[in-house]
Amino acid sequence: GAVVSQHPSRVICKSGTSVKIECRSLDFQATTMFWYRQFPKQSLMLMATSNEGSKATYEQGVEKDKFLINHASLTLSTLTVTSAHPEDSSFYICSVLAGGSYEQYFGPGTRLTVT
Amino acid sequence: DQQVKQNSPSLSVQEGRISILNCDYTNSMFDYFLWYKKYPAEGPTFLISISSIKDKNEDGRFTVFLNKSAKHLSLHIVPSQPGDSAVYFCAASAGSNYQLIWGAGTKLIIKP
């Protein structure tokens, strides 16, 4: 499967600041990436679908102006949490869609804590 | 409305025995099903998948069974090993957008 990295793995920021999380597909050119968040002891919640060279598609209830997604290349997608609030504290995970398959390969996740 | 359900939040199995994780779905349009394993503070790891045209897929110690009439699938792990202790997610997909609908997960604990 594809190897996916995320950076940073952990970040602590102050309320009101913005944080950028990078998702890289290291060995695979990904036209489609997904961004999820996971709350403690809950399932993965899809936030948005990121397509290379076009605007991301956001799920209902996810604010596109708050969670900015950029997929400028086939190996990099970024999620920027703008004006972060404590309730944005969560585990954010990206995934890469394997070509011609439903299989998604996930990054290791980023733990965001907003103080 | 939960389209993919994993009704057992946790399961405890003796090492060496068979672990059976269950998943039910409601949407008959789902045509592909996947199982993922997740450790705390890590991303999910793909385990095994099955297309709706099959009823069984096997990969080493892992076997997934699909019963379309019952809208039920299960993951069998045999023999269970301590490293199998993790949360297991069932996911399903339908249509061309490749989005996955996830179950809530089942925490598997392998006892020595």
Side-chain angles (χ1 to χ4, degrees):
Chain A
V3 179
V4 182
S5 71
Q6 275 183 246
H7 177 80
S9 57
R10 285 178 173 271
V11 58
I12 300 172
C13 71
K14 291 188 176 180
S15 198
T17 62
S18 295
V19 174
K20 180 187 283 189
I21 301 170
E22 292 185 349
C23 176
R24 291 185 185 274
S25 176
L26 300 181
D27 60 351
F28 182 79
Q29 292 193 321
T31 55
T32 303
M33 292 184 176
F34 298 94
W35 285 96
Y36 294 84
R37 67 187 292 184
Q38 185 185 26
F39 293 102
K41 297 184 179 180
Q42 293 189 26
S43 187
L44 299 168
M45 185 194 84
L46 178 66
M47 298 176 66
T49 302
S50 169
N51 293 299
E52 187 266 338
S54 63
K55 290 184 179 180
T57 304
Y58 290 81
E59 294 302 300
Q60 192 174 10
V62 178
E63 299 175 58
K64 62 180 181 179
D65 295 329
K66 180 167 183 61
F67 298 99
L68 300 178
I69 291 172
N70 184 284
H71 192 161
S73 78
L74 289 172
T75 59
L76 174 64
S77 176
T78 60
L79 168 67
T80 302
V81 183
T82 62
S83 188
H85 289 279
E87 57 264 31
D88 298 326
S89 298
S90 190
F91 191 58
Y92 292 87
I93 315 173
C94 71
S95 71
V96 165
L97 181 67
S101 166
Y102 288 102
E103 294 161 19
Q104 294 180 24
Y105 294 92
F106 287 81
T110 296
R111 170 69 61 192
L112 170 64
T113 304
V114 184
T115 60
Chain B
D1 176 34
Q2 245 187 318
Q3 297 186 65
V4 179
K5 300 178 185 179
Q6 292 177 258
N7 292 318
S8 298
S10 67
L11 174 68
S12 188
V13 174
Q14 201 76 36
E15 181 180 356
R17 298 287 185 100
I18 183 171
S19 295
I20 301 176
L21 298 127
N22 293 303
C23 179
D24 297 293
Y25 62 95
T26 57
N27 189 342
S28 57
M29 297 301 291
F30 287 145
D31 57 3
Y32 203 80
F33 303 89
L34 307 91
W35 284 95
Y36 283 82
K37 173 182 178 180
K38 186 180 183 301
Y39 295 116
E42 292 185 14
T45 303
F46 170 73
L47 275 177
I48 193 169
S49 62
I50 189 166
S51 163
S52 61
I53 62 173
K54 294 186 174 181
D55 54 21
K56 177 183 175 182
N57 189 25
E58 190 172 354
D59 184 1
R61 296 187 298 117
F62 302 94
T63 303
V64 56
F65 294 92
L66 175 63
N67 182 335
K68 282 197 297 182
S69 61
K71 294 192 179 67
H72 177 83
L73 67 154
S74 60
L75 173 67
H76 293 211
I77 306 172
V78 57
S80 300
Q81 299 174 354
D84 296 331
S85 295
V87 177
Y88 288 77
F89 289 97
C90 167
S93 187
S96 59
N97 66 5
Y98 297 100
Q99 289 182 357
L100 296 179
I101 308 300
W102 295 81
T106 296
K107 184 175 183 179
L108 177 63
I109 301 164
I110 305 301
K111 299 180 293 185

